[in-house]
Amino acid sequence: MDVSNLDKDKGDHISGIDRGKIVMYGLSTCVWCKRTKKLLTDLGVDFDFIYVDRLKGEEENQAVEEVRHFNPSTSFPTTVINGEKAIVGFKEKEIREALGF
């Protein structure tokens, strides 16, 4: 999903150090999603985030299918790195290691 087409409250791109393509799918009301977003921001990495609960219709369906592809239980946060590795939940150590910190 291209976040550049979304309203800022639904998702956005955060500029930073290039550590590959990182997309965090979360819910706007989820504490662990906010912590994951804060961790990525604090690490200073380039990433996209999408608040799936703020999407509607086709946007929501597309985001849910993207999450389900990597995480069949469709739980949040789901952080996808380079379209290959998915980290489900707030797992600081695993995220740091996957990004080379």
Side-chain angles (χ1 to χ4, degrees), residues 25-73:
Y25 298 89
L27 303 175
S28 63
T29 57
C30 163
V31 171
W32 300 111
C33 301
K34 290 177 182 172
R35 290 188 70 177
T36 301
K37 182 181 170 195
K38 183 178 183 326
L39 172 63
L40 294 171
T41 302
D42 290 348
L43 290 173
V45 297
D46 195 88
F47 70 101
D48 293 338
F49 73 92
I50 298 168
Y51 282 139
V52 177
D53 61 322
R54 290 186 174 168
L55 302 176
K56 301 286 183 213
E58 187 54 38
E59 286 180 340
E60 181 180 17
N61 293 339
Q62 181 182 353
V64 168
E65 283 306 311
E66 289 174 9
V67 172
R68 187 172 291 136
H69 176 75
F70 294 101
N71 172 12
S73 68

